[in-house]
Amino acid sequence: MEAMSTPTLTMSRGAFLSNIEQLQGALAPSELMVVMKDDAYGHGVEWMVDAATSDAATPVRFFGGYDVPTSLRIRVRAPQARVFAWATSDDADVTAALEAGIELGVGTADYLRRIIALAEAAGAQASLHLKIDTGLHRNGIRPEDWGEVVAETLAAERAGSVRLVGVWSHLAEASDAEDDEAARLFDEAVAAVRDAGGAPADLHLTASAASWWRPELRRSVSRIGAFSYGVRSADGPELPGLTLISRLQAPVIELHDDHIVIGLGGLHGFPSTLSGAPVGTPGGRRELLSIGAMTSRLHGWPGVAVGDVVTVFGPGSDGEVDATALAERIDTVGEEILTRLTSRVTREITD
Ligand SMILES: *Cc1c(COP(=O)(O)O)cnc(C)c1O
């Protein structure tokens, strides 16, 4: 391997494909929707869509892009796959989504009316997934408004401008009891759609943690971001059969009497609040003493040399920890560590 001169995020295509296969097996018959918001959690959309559609034993046929720009990037690489965008989007984005056949998540009556008007104007048919608010109160149609919004959707469906393909919601994942109650509200909302004459085929409620650990809450589709990349939940257990697909490493660039310096710091998106975090080194685990703009300091080990490599997180045997273990130190989630890394960090894809 070439000497490392910049901080490098190494991403394993094989580990990603293996996670996909494990997830497909564990979640079946629920269909895996691979969520790729925030540039596939910082890994890069394009190569991952290629891998998931061309290299996977069972190709992924459903992706979640969150916003329309990300969904369009997925669409370009996967013309045959379904793509779901659930961010409430401006008219230009909705029009682009309709043209590209991207399915839209709808959480307000206003957004529904805008989509219907734009679809009518374009002579297009919008594929919609209506979102019921099951308690998170972020975005979603309140149960008291559900009947009316469903009636409006079904009227537009009869007129040809929309197709109601799905009903969905998002869980708080704060307690099992709350999630159970959310599932009950969800099922009621689905029943109300069917009573009104709708026939949505896709029902989806759960993201990674609930899909994996609470099979009874899975519906026909599971929206999986973090676990596709092997990122476990904060305070959550190890994931049997899934592996973190990425490893962040930085080279030793200076040696001092009482510390060494590695080339990774705050301007690479690595939060300075992580000082004190354990990292893996050829001499075993060390703690980061401080994090500066471009560099971080730690104690050395016998024989340390410039060019040695320190593993900040990732699978390995030098005492390193996973991205979630780092995140837990600053009360955030593992994907946040990945999505904060800037473009100054070199990305390398390995088999
Ligand atoms: C981010 C997101 C997901 C994926 O969540 P993970 O916990 O990363 O699997 C699923 N659904 C929605 C609505 C999201 O915003």
Side-chain angles (χ1 to χ4, degrees), residues 35 37 41 66 86 168 170 207-209 223-227 335:
V35 172
K37 66 186 173 204
Y41 290 44
Y66 173 61
W86 62 92
W168 69 292
H170 198 46
S208 288
R223 301 185 307 267
I224 310 293
F227 286 17
E335 48 269 39

Side-chain angles (χ1 to χ4, degrees), residues 17 42 60 90 98 102 112 122 125 131 139 142 174 184 188 209 213 235 326 330 335:
L17 292 174
V60 172
D90 65 21
L98 294 176
I102 287 163
L112 172 67
Q125 190 182 46
K131 183 179 186 189
N139 164 279
R142 299 293 164 96
R184 196 188 60 76
E188 264 180 31
W213 301 109
D235 302 317
L326 286 185
I330 54 171
E335 48 269 39

